[in-house]
Structure formats: C-alpha cells, structure tokens
C-alpha cells in the first residue's frame, strides 16, 4: 500500500488540474473533440459546421458565498450566469443547463423557491432552458451547474489564438466585484462586533454589491462584436482577475502582453470603496476577480471598430513571449505583472515572472467566501 501523503495544497489550483490531466492521457481521444481541459469550456463537433461547448462550475456555501448576504434568488442567478460567462468566452450561445444541488437541513422551501426563481430569470435573460439535475442533502448549500452552448465552427474563439501585434480589449469595468466583497466583509465584521444595534448601510454601494452578488454574463458583448464584424483572435472571461486571465491568454497563445494600466476602466463606486479602505484602485482592477467581463484580443485592422463600440476598451498589446506579461503606467513605467488573483489552494507561483515590488493587490487570505466561481 502506498503510504505517502502529499497535501493537494502543495500543487495549487492550476498545478492540481495539470496533475489530473496527467492521469487522463491514456483515454483514447475522439476525433470530434476539438478542445478538452484548458479553456473556458470544452468544444466538440456536433454537426457539419456546428460545434457544441460544455462547461461546469460549482458554488459552495462558505467557500464561494455567505448565505447571510446573498438573497437566494441572486445566488440562483449567479450560479447560471458564471457558467454562461464561460460559454460566452468561447464566442458561443448558451442552450441548456443542468443543476446538481445539495441542500443543508436548515434550508427552507421558500429559499428553494427563491433559488429557482433566480435561475429561471437568468435562463430567460440568456435565452436558455434548464433541463435537469440532481438533488441531495449536504452539509452546506452546494450548486453545481453545467451549461451546453452552440457556436458555428467559423466563429469559435479559444484562449490560444492571440498573435504578436494584436490588441488586448476588455468589456465593461473591473474591480467592482472585489470592491463589493470588501464592503460585504466589512459589514459582516461590524455586525459581529456590534450585534443587533448595527444597521448596515449598503445604499451607497449598490453597484459594487450587485457586481459581487448578481454578476452578468456578457452575451450582449459577443453579439455586439458580431454585429460590428469583429471576431476576436482569443478570449477568456474574468473570473480570477484581469492579471491572471492575461497570463492564461499568454500561456495558451505562446505570447507576452503589456497592459496599459490607465486604460483599464473601473467604476467611480469601485474607486470610492478603494479610497475608503485606503487600498490601491489599480490592485482592485488588476487582481480583483469575479467581474465576469470578457478579455479578448483583436487584429490591428479591427481596433477602430472596437473604438467605435460602447462599453469596450482597448487596454494593451500582445507581444513576443520573451517579454512576458507586463503592466505599464506613467508612474512606474514597465513592470512585470504577476498573475496574482484568487486561487483555490495556495500553491507555488505559477510562472517565472518576477513579482511586482510593493503592493501586489488585494490579499484574499482573509476572505472566506471569495471564489473564482469556477
Ligand atoms: P474557468 O475559470 O474558466 O471556469 P478553471 O480555471 O476552473 O476555468 O478550469 C480550467 C480548466 O480546467 C477548464 O478546462 C476546466 O474544465 C478544467 N478543470 C477544472 N477542474 C477540473 C477537474 N476537477 N477535472 C478535470 N478538469 C478540470
Ligand atoms: Mg472562464
């Protein structure tokens, strides 16, 4: 019997996935499989020119959310939206979802109604159907959702297609979901310290709290890109944080990148939260996760079309792999950009790039219910 015991935390989340993959190499590969592990969703051929994509994401109470803060209808919405986000990141349209749910004994029928109302609302918003699942008791509320989507072969976009000279683009604004998490954690601490007499003031932070509790998948953005005649060369959704996702595109495409920090948009409310906690707003924008915006690259000929689109920004350029992933701002000049961001299981750093001096971004160590939702 093998007595050795290596804690899984020694590998880190991404090391763990590599290790799993190494156990699966002997499975004969179908010629219809186009992409397996390693992108936002797996892609396989479903028809002559039609591809299907499939993705799954789990949300666990105490790891990804705190039930005292998130209304169950928001949780239902979020569970669907984070999966749709991975489908959209392949430039695909979501079709069907299944839901496996584990319910603790203290969960009520009314809460379950709220949960399923939220899921129904998201399914309607994204034009998809919920077609099945599985139900069990559990020690904590647990939701595992799978979404299947569809894309024409000529439209599919992977993490791996970025080329030197392409421009790096971002939908919406970033850092808001992390700001929302900061506010909620702070309120929880105040509640614990002051008990019943404490009245939470969440009015001033509606936007960032919504970003954290009820994120939107950017199906509208891929529709807008299609209308504008832009097919991104690579794409990923922002679950772990902008810096981390730029690294994923870099690694998969075999390229480096420079992010122009002043070009990365954040909402004024996100800035207000960073100011209140005396944090660095750039750290929120670069390392805060769970915004579920789209990060993608386009060929230089398409940059003008991106400039003409509302709510999409050009934030950087793709360079040779030897340059690594860097951040540029007028204050600091060019600096290596470490892929800090949320990772389940603290592992060793995932790349050889140097760490940024000084503030490396929000520390997630003390956040019990932050997650990459993924
Ligand atoms: P995302 O953040 O886009 O949801 P993840 O970082 O969760 O992506 O996963 C990266 C890749 O690893 C994906 O292709 C995913 O399907 C795969 N993956 C994650 N966990 C497992 C697992 N337990 N077994 C097999 N593949 C996994
Ligand atoms: Mg993803």
């Amino acid at each position: 019997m093998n007595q050795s015991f290596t804690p899984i935390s020694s590998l880190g989340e991404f090391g763990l996935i590599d290790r799993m993959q190494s156990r699966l190499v002997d499975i004969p590969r179908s010629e219809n499989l186009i992409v397996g592990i390693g992108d936002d969703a797996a892609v396989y051929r479903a028809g002559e020119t039609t591809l299907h994509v499939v993705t799954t994401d789990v949300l666990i109470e105490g790891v990804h959310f705190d039930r005292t803060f998130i209304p169950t209808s928001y949780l239902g919405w979020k569970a669907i939206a984070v999966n749709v986000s991975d489908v959209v990141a392949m430039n695909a349209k979501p079709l069907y979802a299944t839901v496996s749910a584990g319910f603790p004994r203290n969960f009520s029928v009314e809460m379950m109604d709220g949960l399923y109302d939220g899921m129904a609302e998201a399914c309607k918003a994204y034009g998809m159907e919920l077609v099945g699942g599985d139900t069990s008791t559990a020690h904590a509320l647990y939701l595992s959702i799978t979404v299947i989507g569809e894309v024409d072969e000529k439209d599919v976009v992977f993490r791996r297609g970025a080329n030197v000279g392409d421009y790096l683009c971002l939908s919406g604004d970033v850092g808001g979901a992390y700001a929302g998490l900061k506010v909620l954690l702070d309120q929880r601490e105040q509640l614990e310290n002051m008990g019943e007499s404490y009245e939470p003031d969440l009015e001033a932070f509606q936007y960032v709290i919504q970003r954290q509790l009820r994120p939107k998948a950017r199906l509208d953005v891929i529709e807008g890109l299609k209308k504008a005649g832009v097919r991104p060369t690579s794409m990923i959704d922002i679950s772990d944080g902008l810096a981390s996702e730029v690294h994923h595109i870099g690694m998969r495409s075999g390229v480096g990148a420079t992010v122009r920090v002043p070009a990365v948009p954040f909402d004024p409310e996100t800035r207000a939260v960073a100011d209140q906690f005396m944090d660095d707003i750039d750290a929120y924008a670069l390392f805060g996760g769970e915004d579920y915006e789209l990060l993608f690259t386009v060929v230089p000929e398409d940059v003008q079309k991106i400039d003409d689109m509302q709510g999409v920004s050009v934030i950087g350029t793709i360079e040779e792999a030897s340059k690594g992933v860097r951040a540029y701002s007028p204050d600091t000049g060019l600096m290596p950009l470490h892929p800090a961001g949320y990772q389940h299981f603290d592992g060793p750093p995932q790349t050889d790039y140097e760490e940024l001096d000084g503030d490396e971004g929000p520390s997630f160590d003390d956040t019990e219910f932050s997650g990459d939702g993924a």
Side-chain angles (χ1 to χ4, degrees), residues 65-355:
F65 63 90
D66 179 330
R67 229 196 314 152
T68 55
F69 275 116
I70 185 163
T72 50
S73 63
Y74 281 21
L75 187 62
W77 169 283
K78 181 170 178 174
I80 296 287
V82 300
N83 279 278
V84 171
S85 182
D86 278 324
V87 167
V88 163
M90 310 308 293
N91 212 21
K93 181 182 159 347
L95 295 176
Y96 301 108
T98 60
V99 180
S100 296
F103 297 107
R105 299 228 166 260
N106 63 359
F107 206 71
S108 68
V109 174
E110 291 74 17
M111 289 170 180
M112 179 125 64
D113 286 345
L115 191 67
Y116 273 74
D117 286 349
M119 288 197 269
E121 210 185 324
C123 285
K124 270 187 266 169
Y126 298 119
M128 55 195 285
E129 282 177 78
L130 205 161
V131 295
D134 194 22
T135 304
S136 161
T137 58
H139 297 300
L141 182 58
Y142 171 100
L143 286 173
S144 172
I145 298 206
T146 298
V147 172
I148 293 176
E150 186 176 71
V151 58
D152 202 274
E153 189 170 13
K154 67 179 186 335
D155 295 328
V156 68
V157 178
F158 304 106
R159 291 180 180 178
R160 68 178 179 217
N163 293 301
V164 175
D166 285 356
Y167 284 80
L168 196 58
C169 309
L170 178 71
S171 69
D173 57 83
V174 284
Y178 181 73
L181 179 65
K182 280 284 276 207
V183 171
L184 292 171
L185 285 170
D186 180 60
Q187 297 287 330
R188 183 170 74 181
E189 203 180 308
Q190 309 258 22
L191 265 170
E192 279 164 6
N193 291 344
M194 298 168 69
E196 303 271 296
S197 65
Y198 181 70
E199 283 189 27
D201 174 21
L202 301 175
E203 273 303 304
F205 300 115
Q206 284 302 318
Y207 177 73
V208 295
I209 289 171
Q210 289 273 328
R211 294 288 285 174
Q212 170 58 224
L213 299 184
R214 201 174 179 281
K216 294 192 173 86
R218 300 308 307 267
L219 186 57
D220 59 323
V221 171
I222 63 164
E223 288 167 354
L225 288 169
K226 191 157 198 186
K227 226 176 262 166
V230 177
R231 182 184 164 276
T233 51
S234 71
M235 186 150 61
I236 189 169
D237 68 324
I238 308 241
S239 52
D240 301 340
L242 178 59
S244 170
E245 315 304 357
V246 176
H247 275 270
H248 282 308
I249 285 189
M251 274 187 286
R252 291 282 159 198
S253 300
V255 296
T258 295
V259 176
R260 297 185 67 85
V261 179
V264 177
F266 50 81
D267 189 85
E269 209 176 290
T270 306
R271 153 139 258 156
V273 174
D275 288 349
Q276 180 172 322
F277 290 99
M278 291 190 288
D279 289 331
D280 176 5
I281 180 69
D282 291 339
Y284 279 35
L286 294 172
F287 307 113
E290 293 197 288
D291 286 307
Y292 299 103
E293 293 296 341
L294 293 172
L295 175 72
F296 57 96
T297 53
V298 302
V299 293
E301 298 77 59
D302 282 343
V303 167
Q304 189 56 51
K305 296 180 201 158
I306 296 291
D307 277 339
D308 293 344
M309 276 179 80
Q310 286 276 320
V312 182
S313 315
V314 178
I315 62 160
T317 46
I318 297 298
E319 282 142 22
E320 293 81 18
S322 59
K323 303 239 170 86
V325 174
R326 300 180 294 181
Y328 172 82
S329 77
D331 303 341
T332 58
L334 268 176
M335 299 277 278
L337 180 62
H338 188 258
Y342 189 83
Q343 264 202 50
H344 291 275
F345 313 105
D346 297 330
Q350 299 301 310
T351 74
D352 295 324
Y353 302 122
E354 265 176 72
E355 295 189 2

Side-chain angles (χ1 to χ4, degrees), residues 13-14 17 20 24 36-41 55-57 86 159 237 239-240 248 372-374:
E13 182 182 346
F14 300 127
I17 294 172
M20 290 164 181
L24 304 173
I37 293 174
D39 215 304
D40 292 291
T55 184
T56 193
D57 263 327
D86 278 324
R159 291 180 180 178
D237 68 324
S239 52
D240 301 340
H248 282 308
D372 64 0

